[in-house]
Amino acid sequence: MNIPLLKCIFENIYYKPYSLFAEVIIPLALPKNYTWAVPEPFREAMQPGIRVEVALRKNKKYAGIVKKIHDTIPPGFNPAPILNVLDAEPLVHPEQLQFWEWIADYYMCSEGEVMQAAIPANLKLSSESILQWNEERSLDFSDLTDTEYLVAEALEIKKELRLSEVQQLLDINNTYPVIKKLIEKGVCFIWEELKEKYKQKTETHILLHPQYNSDEKLEELLNNWGKAPKQMELLLAYLHFKQKGEDVIQSELLKKANASAAQLKGLIEKGILIAEKRNADRLPTLPKEIHLDFTLSESQVNALQQINSVFEKQNVCLLHGVTSSGKTQVYIQMIEQYLLQNKQVLYLLPEIALTAQMIRRLQKSLGGHIAIYHSKFNPNERVEIWNKIKSGETKIVLGARSALFLPFRELGLIICDEEHDASYKQQEPAPRYHSRDAAIYYASLFNAKVLLGSATPSIESYYNASLHKYGLVTLKERFGDVAMPAIELIDIRKAGTGKNRTPLTPALFESMQQTLDAKKQIILFQNRRGYSPYLICDTCGWIPHCHQCDVTLTYHKAANKLSCHYCGTSYPVLQTCAACGSHHFVQKNFGTEKIEELVAEQFPDAKIARMDYDSVKGKHDHDMLIKLFEQHRIDILVGTQMVVKGLDFENVSLVGIVDADGILNFTDFRVNERAYQLMEQVSGRAGRKDGQGKVLIQVSNLQHPVLQFVKEHQYEQLFQYEIANRKQFAYPPFTRLIQVVFKHKEKHIAEEAANLMTQGMKHPFAAYINGPSQPLVDRVRNQYLWEILIKLPKDAALINQCKRAIHQQTVIIQSNKRYRGVHIIPNTDPVY
């Protein structure tokens, strides 16, 4: 291959004048989208939404998505040509491109970062480096080292080597120094190649040769069968499959007939059977049927009618229904309405844990019309769901927040269940979007409707409903006139002190025993995982901390390790105090693991399980645990927030909130709202079928106002109490918040950058800026944190001006070499 000639041709193409240009989004955090020129052969194929192959710095290739096509020559630079068109039809529709632009603008990130979050991994072509032999290089390798010689010899023979092949050849991972020397010595060039990662699944189908389709020919074959009895058994098994009218798949046939691939090969070679490869779905599908096996109550019918009435005038409706009021059945009826209009529906849930139980309920009513989409699916499965939604084949999608980026074409309705949940807010990495709020904008692009649902709505949503910005529909009673659970407060100060005090009070133990005697189930809620949140030296008071974060280490007894819940680093359990050398450590406070152990000791005959991040990490772990609890194969379920959110267990009659003080004492302006939501939601798991539910809340401050609201299930009173405080102290929904976080490995540099930002934005934002200050956890993954909080009036022009100022100040700060390593992270509408 003549590399200089190629280079010459490339440069002639590169600088050739063009009349058509494309703005392309590539998966990088660029300040703005780059423009490439459209060569003549690609003009007809060019359209918004398709993937194209482009290069930055000549060698580095990317698969980008065309956003706009225009004929305006970009000022200031000569655009490089697009190298290739990768799709015959768009990967995304215009609505998704518009949505990406809005997300990037509102949440202060790049469209490349939005693309990175939106597109399934296997639709992003990976760039692979390839070494190419330099044909002009002499075969004199005397200037090469032994390792360089090995690679050069292989290159001279094969002409091209991938990096993975070089690693195999040298049996080392870090091949960069060797490759760098080979390039410097003129042995090779390095090029980038884009590689498709998605692979269509195929299955081998077995067919009977057409000559044996007639009964006479088949009978003749069987009657004149000679030897090979195993092949005869295999053929009979095949005919049995065919008699049922089923497609015969090779793997299933061999398993059913207990036969070998060699025996099947023999029948194929004899011309009796035919093997045919066909494309197959990775995800099982059900018949596309609608079967609603329930009847709505009078209050549910009224709610459904009111929602439809709201949607005649407004695009967003809040359904405020108490726990177990039957909101899901109302959702299903709404979905059926839109399905009959041939519209697509997106059903959002805050947690993957909720999707397992919900998908079974929805599939029972809506069959194969519905698909599920979340991050636990493997990359190829996600591509297949993506394509079915883009084509309109799949009408209903149930998913967590990432499902919002799917390429709907006929979206009619978005249901945002448990709309209050903080999990709807993306924290890391960018885009840091709130999927409930983003869903409202996304729906507007299709003129679709949004139904927000919750037993404990967010203050912001309820406030919007009170202003008639959203419609409001209420379900004030439980389905079947079931009573709300009775709530009792247990004063933990009277339950013993010091060594006599345990996480579970005698009153809670007694109620648990009564519940087990009645053959009912129990949920214990503790919003802290692990065995003990921290260990402390009994002699000097030293506490083990993470080496990379400014947090104490949590003791996990089952794994026998200390773990940091911020960076995930694990440490061996300490036997000796680093400060005084003592061997005596005391475990302080308690997590779900310790509660599980205490309950097992107290109730040895009960079947106990734990639901938290540590116990349900696998793809199907949530679903398996929920099924076991539904089937009453678990008596007591101990868990964190996972047990709070919308799960429906009809046999639960007792819920215990182990440590309400831990929920009520966070330093966050939303603490009262969150505490009420958590306690009311977990309380709602009790007595859902027969109304004989009981909730015990262990707490020391019995006079806390939120507890009184929870005890009487008084959401409206909580709202009035909170809205007055929010107004007084200028918090949402009366203001907009923008948080800016500064990260650096040197504490003083992060602080200096934060101060520079504050100084640079003093005019005209001095009255709105709080800080800079350090967060409670001021070091994570060896990065020190400083932050400022900007509380802005709800003035769109002022908010946009502030965002521009943050961008400008970021550029100014990072143009200084001293602060180039500072990571500056803006976060619109932060949720802590």
Side-chain angles (χ1 to χ4, degrees):
M1 183 181 294
N2 192 327
I3 298 300
L5 178 62
L6 278 177
K7 186 178 178 185
C8 179
I9 293 169
F10 179 81
E11 287 177 349
N12 285 334
I13 295 172
Y14 194 88
Y15 294 109
K16 181 181 175 182
Y18 294 93
S19 59
L20 192 65
F21 305 91
E23 181 183 330
V24 179
I25 305 168
I26 60 173
L28 294 178
L30 299 177
K32 65 176 186 177
N33 294 329
Y34 201 78
T35 297
W36 277 268
V38 181
E40 189 64 34
F42 300 150
R43 289 176 73 100
E44 285 189 18
M46 198 58 51
Q47 55 181 313
I50 63 168
R51 291 177 302 171
V52 291
E53 183 180 337
V54 294
L56 283 179
R57 302 190 307 275
K58 295 189 180 181
N59 275 354
K60 190 63 181 175
K61 294 183 180 179
Y62 296 93
I65 289 183
V66 175
K67 182 184 177 184
K68 292 176 186 170
I69 302 164
H70 57 86
D71 56 8
T72 306
I73 300 174
F77 73 99
N78 291 315
I82 287 170
L83 302 177
N84 199 5
V85 174
L86 303 173
D87 297 311
E89 60 181 41
L91 187 71
V92 293
H93 302 301
E95 292 84 0
Q96 280 84 51
L97 293 173
Q98 197 174 341
F99 182 49
W100 292 4
E101 183 178 353
W102 179 86
I103 288 266
D105 178 63
Y106 187 83
Y107 291 104
M108 303 179 70
C109 63
S110 70
E111 289 180 67
E113 289 171 304
V114 182
M115 174 190 168
Q116 184 73 4
I119 302 293
N122 278 13
L123 287 176
K124 300 174 214 161
L125 305 191
S126 63
S127 179
E128 185 172 14
S129 298
I130 296 173
L131 299 184
Q132 285 189 327
W133 170 251
N134 181 3
E135 295 287 356
E136 296 185 352
R137 162 76 194 203
S138 73
L139 295 179
D140 179 11
F141 293 157
S142 59
D143 60 332
L144 304 183
T145 65
D146 290 347
T147 51
E148 291 165 5
Y149 176 81
L150 279 173
V151 178
E153 188 179 40
L155 269 171
E156 195 268 327
I157 296 167
K158 293 189 68 176
K159 305 305 180 189
E160 286 187 355
L161 285 176
R162 298 178 187 275
L163 285 187
S164 55
E165 292 174 316
V166 177
Q167 287 172 339
Q168 281 183 330
L169 183 67
L170 301 180
D171 197 23
I172 57 173
N173 288 325
N174 184 16
T175 57
Y176 174 75
V178 178
I179 292 168
K180 185 170 180 286
K181 286 291 184 185
L182 289 171
I183 294 170
E184 288 172 356
K185 293 174 181 179
V187 174
C188 63
F189 301 95
I190 191 161
W191 296 88
E192 295 286 321
E193 180 184 68
L194 289 183
K195 184 174 63 174
E196 181 75 64
K197 290 188 281 187
Y198 171 68
K199 287 187 174 63
Q200 173 71 55
K201 181 184 177 183
T202 59
E203 289 177 334
T204 302
H205 286 244
I206 304 302
L207 309 170
L208 189 64
H209 196 284
Q211 67 176 318
Y212 298 112
N213 281 343
S214 69
D215 291 341
E216 295 80 9
K217 286 285 185 183
L218 184 59
E219 188 176 345
E220 182 183 340
L221 172 68
L222 296 173
N223 288 337
N224 297 315
W225 196 271
K227 296 181 179 179
K230 287 289 184 183
Q231 289 184 5
M232 167 67 92
E233 288 177 23
L234 180 56
L235 179 60
L236 292 174
Y238 168 82
L239 294 172
H240 179 70
F241 263 116
K242 285 302 292 178
Q243 223 171 20
K244 295 181 183 177
E246 299 175 3
D247 283 343
V248 182
I249 297 167
Q250 177 177 310
S251 56
E252 294 175 3
L253 174 62
L254 295 178
K255 186 177 177 182
K256 179 86 172 176
N258 194 24
S260 68
Q263 289 158 1
L264 177 60
K265 186 181 177 185
L267 290 174
I268 293 169
E269 288 174 349
K270 289 177 180 178
I272 298 170
L273 296 179
I274 299 171
E276 184 179 286
K277 281 198 177 292
R278 295 180 186 173
N279 290 342
D281 285 336
R282 285 181 167 87
L283 300 167
T285 54
L286 297 172
K288 292 189 175 181
E289 302 169 344
I290 300 176
H291 176 63
L292 306 189
D293 61 348
F294 58 84
T295 304
L296 297 183
S297 66
E298 185 179 345
S299 59
Q300 286 174 313
V301 170
N302 290 336
L304 184 63
Q305 291 171 348
Q306 288 175 47
I307 292 167
N308 284 323
S309 179
V310 166
F311 282 160
E312 290 176 7
K313 304 170 188 174
Q314 295 171 279
N315 288 331
V316 184
C317 180
L318 173 63
L319 175 59
H320 177 205
V322 299
T323 56
S324 195
S325 57
K327 294 186 291 297
T328 303
Q329 293 172 328
V330 175
Y331 298 153
I332 292 171
Q333 288 279 5
M334 290 294 301
I335 291 169
E336 183 196 26
Q337 290 178 18
Y338 283 86
L339 195 57
L340 294 175
Q341 296 172 35
N342 204 32
K343 293 286 189 180
Q344 291 175 302
V345 178
L346 172 59
Y347 190 137
L348 287 173
L349 288 167
E351 293 273 8
I352 294 171
L354 285 176
T355 58
Q357 189 182 52
M358 188 60 71
I359 192 66
R360 291 198 299 275
R361 296 178 68 180
L362 294 180
Q363 283 178 338
K364 187 177 178 183
S365 299
L366 303 167
H369 288 291
I370 189 162
I372 188 169
Y373 185 87
H374 55 63
S375 58
K376 294 283 186 180
F377 281 114
N378 72 47
N380 284 326
E381 290 171 339
R382 297 179 83 177
V383 170
E384 291 185 5
I385 298 168
W386 177 280
N387 289 333
K388 287 182 178 181
I389 291 159
K390 181 167 70 81
S391 68
E393 180 185 341
T394 294
K395 295 297 182 187
I396 311 163
V397 179
L398 174 71
R401 60 175 179 260
S402 60
L404 194 61
F405 290 113
L406 289 167
F408 293 94
R409 60 186 298 172
E410 292 291 340
L411 187 63
L413 175 68
I414 297 178
I415 295 169
C416 186
D417 199 9
E418 309 295 344
E419 65 84 28
H420 65 276
D421 200 289
S423 298
Y424 277 124
K425 173 71 172 177
Q426 166 78 5
Q427 301 295 349
E428 290 290 344
R432 295 169 182 84
Y433 65 101
H434 196 298
S435 45
R436 176 199 62 210
D437 301 339
I440 293 171
Y441 176 79
Y442 190 38
S444 72
L445 300 176
F446 298 86
N447 196 28
K449 308 300 181 183
V450 179
L451 180 58
L452 309 176
S454 177
T456 54
S458 66
I459 297 296
E460 289 87 343
S461 293
Y462 203 80
Y463 180 71
N464 283 331
S466 72
L467 296 179
H468 306 293
K469 185 178 177 181
Y470 301 165
L472 177 63
V473 176
T474 58
L475 277 168
K476 295 186 176 180
E477 58 220 28
R478 284 182 150 190
F479 184 77
D481 294 324
V482 172
M484 294 294 287
I487 296 179
E488 298 177 20
L489 306 181
I490 299 175
D491 189 346
I492 59 174
R493 293 172 300 179
K494 298 178 181 178
T497 58
K499 292 182 180 179
N500 295 324
R501 182 174 169 182
T502 65
L504 305 179
T505 59
L508 181 53
F509 273 134
E510 184 181 343
S511 293
M512 290 174 70
Q513 186 62 63
Q514 292 169 359
T515 304
L516 293 172
D517 291 343
K519 306 297 182 188
K520 294 287 187 177
Q521 290 171 292
I522 301 163
I523 290 176
L524 294 179
F525 170 62
Q526 166 63 358
N527 205 25
R528 185 175 278 150
R529 60 191 174 94
Y531 188 84
S532 177
Y534 64 96
L535 304 179
I536 184 169
C537 174
D538 203 23
T539 305
C540 71
W542 178 78
I543 300 172
H545 279 65
C546 177
H547 297 163
Q548 301 181 74
C549 310
D550 189 23
V551 289
T552 57
L553 295 172
T554 300
Y555 174 50
H556 289 256
K557 189 174 182 180
N560 193 33
K561 65 181 181 182
L562 297 173
S563 181
C564 174
H565 288 179
Y566 278 76
C567 69
T569 305
S570 294
Y571 301 84
V573 176
L574 295 174
Q575 306 298 331
T576 304
C577 174
C580 71
S582 170
H583 302 300
H584 301 289
F585 283 92
V586 178
Q587 295 163 5
K588 288 290 184 179
N589 221 315
F590 49 88
T592 50
E593 199 177 352
K594 186 169 185 177
I595 292 169
E596 181 186 26
E597 181 181 275
L598 287 171
V599 171
E601 290 172 0
Q602 188 73 19
F603 305 104
D605 296 328
K607 297 180 283 291
I608 302 159
R610 176 165 49 92
M611 181 187 279
D612 57 24
Y613 177 79
D614 300 312
S615 62
V616 285
K617 289 185 176 179
K619 180 177 176 180
H620 301 294
D621 289 352
H622 291 106
D623 195 20
M624 288 175 61
L625 189 55
I626 289 165
K627 280 181 181 176
L628 290 172
F629 199 61
E630 284 176 333
Q631 295 162 5
H632 204 163
R633 292 163 66 186
I634 296 170
D635 300 312
I636 303 170
L637 182 61
V638 180
T640 56
Q641 291 188 45
M642 289 183 178
V643 301
V644 174
K645 302 175 181 181
L647 295 172
D648 186 7
F649 304 117
E650 62 181 32
N651 202 47
V652 173
S653 68
L654 176 66
V655 167
I657 298 175
V658 178
D659 180 22
D661 292 308
I663 305 170
L664 292 163
N665 294 327
F666 278 109
T667 53
D668 176 20
F669 75 91
R670 291 189 176 93
V671 60
N672 290 336
E673 176 189 3
R674 291 278 170 73
Y676 178 88
Q677 288 164 345
L678 276 172
M679 288 191 276
E680 182 68 12
Q681 289 282 345
V682 76
S683 300
R685 302 316 105 203
R688 294 174 74 89
K689 185 178 181 183
D690 54 18
Q692 296 175 5
K694 183 178 180 181
V695 181
L696 299 181
I697 301 176
Q698 297 187 154
V699 66
S700 60
N701 182 10
L702 275 70
Q703 303 309 311
H704 198 292
V706 170
L707 293 173
Q708 308 313 311
F709 301 140
V710 172
K711 193 172 180 183
E712 301 300 326
H713 307 287
Q714 295 175 327
Y715 174 81
E716 286 77 9
Q717 283 81 348
L718 168 87
F719 173 77
Q720 295 301 333
Y721 176 81
E722 274 298 288
I723 208 73
N725 288 332
R726 302 278 182 94
K727 189 172 185 179
Q728 180 182 355
F729 296 104
Y731 277 108
F734 299 100
T735 57
R736 278 267 188 262
L737 300 184
I738 299 177
Q739 177 195 45
V740 186
V741 177
F742 303 81
K743 292 184 178 182
H744 195 267
K745 61 183 180 181
E746 300 288 345
K747 184 177 180 179
H748 63 280
I749 291 180
E751 182 182 7
E752 288 171 18
N755 281 313
L756 284 172
M757 175 77 76
T758 306
Q759 291 296 321
M761 293 185 62
K762 266 195 171 179
H763 181 75
F765 303 105
Y768 310 125
I769 296 177
N770 297 269
S773 62
Q774 290 181 277
L776 284 175
V777 178
D778 66 352
R779 184 170 61 98
V780 176
R781 293 186 174 90
N782 277 331
Q783 297 277 307
Y784 286 93
L785 309 180
W786 282 79
E787 61 187 29
I788 61 175
L789 184 67
I790 308 170
K791 290 161 66 170
L792 296 163
K794 295 181 80 170
D795 177 333
L798 184 67
I799 292 168
N800 288 332
Q801 184 186 354
C802 181
K803 288 179 178 179
R804 286 194 297 272
I806 292 170
H807 282 307
Q808 289 165 2
Q809 290 301 314
T810 299
V811 171
I812 292 168
I813 291 167
Q814 293 187 329
S815 65
N816 186 326
K817 187 176 179 181
R818 179 176 175 82
Y819 306 113
R820 205 162 289 161
V822 178
H823 196 193
I824 301 175
I825 304 167
N827 188 2
T828 305
D829 301 336
V831 174
Y832 304 99

